[in-house]
Amino acid sequence: MATYVIGDIHGCFKTLQRLLQSLDLQPQDRLWCVGDLINRGPHSLEVVEWAMKNQHRVQVVLGNHELHLLACYFGAETSDNDTLDELLSLSERDRREVLEWVRRQPLLYEATIASQKVAMVHAGVDARWTWTEIKKRAARIEIALRQDDQLEELAKAHPSRKRRKRKISEAQGELTSSSNIRDEVSHKPQWIDDLKWFTRVRTLDQSGEPVGWFKGSADELHPQLEPWFIAYSRACHQTALGTYPDRLFYGHWAAYGLQRADLYCGLDSGCIWGRHLSAVRVEDNQLYQAETVETALIPKNIRTTLKEVH
Ligand SMILES: [Mn+2]
């Protein structure tokens, strides 16, 4: 039995099929997906249906785009760059089925493979926490996602809403005072704040907090920013053996691209940006790649901007 970990698919169902064909899959093999199965690309619904139909062998963790879908189901606004129409306009029954499946997927998944502790998350983890605490925080998010009132909170805290609010206050000539910002943050449940680690982090500032604005490549990395996995790697070396996993898989950072270190492995190789969809076989670290065959539904004129906001 082999386990393949697959990078961010982003609705590129045809590319996924091409990658799967190159794996020579056996019926008992397992497929892990590091999240962001949907959005940006043309076939999000097909990817979700594939993962749901094959849940006996497909293990998913949630990415920021799955969280975005959940927020949209609970009233958050879509953005112009979204390609979620098919998923959002499903019949009530089908929509409920997709929603129930998505909200039951974990933020962090861990298993023992070939005597090694292997884990995956979509973006990263806060290595100031112990592995036990990291798992506890992921579990707390997973419980929250199963409650409608908590998903309503998520929709309320959604960036699209903040952007809208800011536009309204700017239009009215109001200044947002710092106390308002503090109020907004203090009302946000802790689990929503923790999401930034599991689904969004790329780099950390000097105090070890995630930085939202940098999404560039390794070459463009600001000298005062540190990729989260460098801090994670440091923590792994400082902690007694056996605490953190032997290898942590993640995606999300397309501009940085494929990352294959001993302790961590980044698999977003920019499938949606015309590059590759990647998979690694856990047992022997063999890399498989399929060139993308899908054209993003994103108009060319906004792709450049998107690279900055994605
Ligand atoms: Mn992502």
Side-chain angles (χ1 to χ4, degrees), residues 123-269:
V125 294
D126 185 351
R128 294 173 299 186
W129 302 330
T130 62
W131 187 246
T132 309
E133 177 66 17
I134 288 168
K135 287 200 286 187
K136 215 182 278 174
R137 294 203 178 215
R140 186 160 65 188
I141 299 173
E142 288 155 15
I143 290 165
L145 294 180
R146 289 163 199 186
Q147 299 161 32
D148 285 1
D149 63 332
Q150 292 302 299
L151 286 183
E152 277 158 22
E153 290 292 323
L154 179 71
K156 269 193 243 163
H158 195 270
S160 69
R161 192 181 145 99
K162 282 188 201 149
R163 275 198 300 274
R164 210 163 55 239
K165 264 171 134 179
R166 196 160 59 227
K167 269 189 201 151
I168 293 167
S169 61
E170 276 166 11
Q172 292 169 340
E174 290 169 14
L175 282 173
T176 313
S177 77
S178 54
S179 66
N180 283 345
I181 292 167
R182 268 203 301 279
D183 285 345
E184 204 173 328
V185 171
S186 65
H187 285 121
K188 192 162 66 174
Q190 180 64 45
W191 73 267
I192 293 180
D193 197 46
D194 287 348
L195 271 177
K196 66 178 185 255
W197 288 99
F198 297 107
T199 67
R200 290 189 178 275
V201 67
R202 290 185 183 87
T203 58
L204 310 176
D205 65 19
Q206 288 177 315
S207 65
E209 286 296 320
V211 168
W213 54 266
F214 182 78
K215 280 128 187 165
S217 66
D219 297 342
E220 297 159 339
L221 196 63
H222 189 280
Q224 288 184 337
L225 299 181
E226 180 175 66
W228 70 269
F229 45 79
I230 301 299
Y232 171 76
S233 170
R234 231 175 11 245
C236 288
H237 289 298
Q238 283 163 2
T239 315
L241 264 175
T243 308
Y244 286 99
D246 296 300
R247 197 144 40 126
L248 178 59
F249 286 92
Y250 65 94
H252 187 60
W253 198 348
Y256 206 99
L258 200 64
Q259 262 288 332
R260 298 172 76 204
D262 285 347
L263 291 166
Y264 51 87
C265 181
L267 286 174
D268 189 349
S269 47

Side-chain angles (χ1 to χ4, degrees), residues 8 10 35-36 63-65 122-123 199 202 251-253 268 310:
D8 306 40
H10 278 297
D36 280 1
N64 51 308
H65 286 276
H122 176 61
T199 67
R202 290 185 183 87
H252 187 60
W253 198 348
D268 189 349
H310 169 71

